[in-house]
Amino acid sequence: MIKTICGLKGSGKTKRIIMQANNDAAVATGNVVFITDTKRYMYDLVRKVRFVDVKDFGISSQEGLLSFVKGIVAGNSDTQYVFIDGAARITGTEPGAMADFYKELEMMRGDFGLNFILTVSLAEEDLPEFIKKHEI
C-alpha cells in the first residue's frame, strides 16, 4: 500500500502522518520507520516508531532517499511501514517530478510487502495522477 497525505503548507499534514504512524505502530507486527528532515517531531512519535532524520545522513536527492529506504529494508526485513514526511522537500524536487520515485516505491511495496505513507505539499487539485491515485 502507498498512501499520500496532501495539502498546502500549514494544513496539518505532519500532524496527520504522525498520528497515522502512532496508530499503525500500535497494531503493526513488523517495524515502523518514520523518515523526515527535522528532529522537531521526534518526541511526538511513540517509542515503537524508529525515527530517522535524513540530515544526519546527508540525503538530498531522490536516488539517495530511495537507496536509504532500501538500506533500511535490507538491514531489517521485518520493516512493515515506512512513513516519509516531505519526500519532495527532502530531495529538493517538485512533487510533479517524482514519478520515477513513486514507481520505485511501488516496486518495493510489491517485492517486500511494505506500506508507504508520504506527505505532499500540494493542493488536491494540483496533484499529478501518479500521486493522486495514492491519496487518502
Side-chain angles (χ1 to χ4, degrees):
M1 151 190 81
I2 299 175
K3 292 182 182 178
T4 302
I5 299 170
C6 71
L8 297 175
K9 184 175 179 168
S11 64
K13 296 178 304 298
T14 297
K15 287 182 182 182
R16 286 180 58 199
I17 197 171
I18 288 170
M19 186 171 56
Q20 183 74 49
N22 288 336
N23 290 341
D24 288 345
V27 297
T29 57
N31 293 318
V32 179
V33 180
F34 189 95
I35 299 171
T36 189
D37 61 349
T38 178
K39 289 181 179 34
R40 182 175 177 190
Y41 304 104
M42 179 182 349
Y43 299 109
D44 295 336
L45 294 162
V46 296
R47 189 172 193 161
K48 186 175 179 185
V49 178
R50 169 78 165 111
F51 178 85
V52 181
D53 179 352
V54 294
K55 284 186 180 176
D56 294 339
F57 300 95
I59 308 298
S60 61
S61 68
Q62 291 183 50
E63 295 81 15
L65 183 56
L66 284 169
S67 296
F68 190 76
V69 171
K70 289 176 182 179
I72 289 171
V73 174
N76 191 339
S77 61
D78 289 340
T79 302
Q80 184 177 4
Y81 291 94
V82 177
F83 291 85
I84 305 174
D85 184 27
R89 182 184 66 241
I90 290 169
T91 63
T93 310
E94 290 297 320
M98 297 188 75
D100 290 341
F101 181 85
Y102 273 80
K103 284 180 190 174
E104 283 287 324
L105 293 182
E106 288 174 2
M107 287 180 10
M108 289 191 319
R109 178 192 55 79
D111 292 346
F112 303 108
L114 297 169
N115 299 294
F116 291 99
I117 298 89
L118 298 92
T119 60
V120 177
S121 289
L122 280 177
E124 185 177 339
E125 60 271 8
D126 296 331
L127 289 175
E129 283 303 316
F130 66 89
I131 295 176
K132 193 176 282 191
K133 70 180 183 178
H134 301 295
E135 183 186 13
I136 56 172

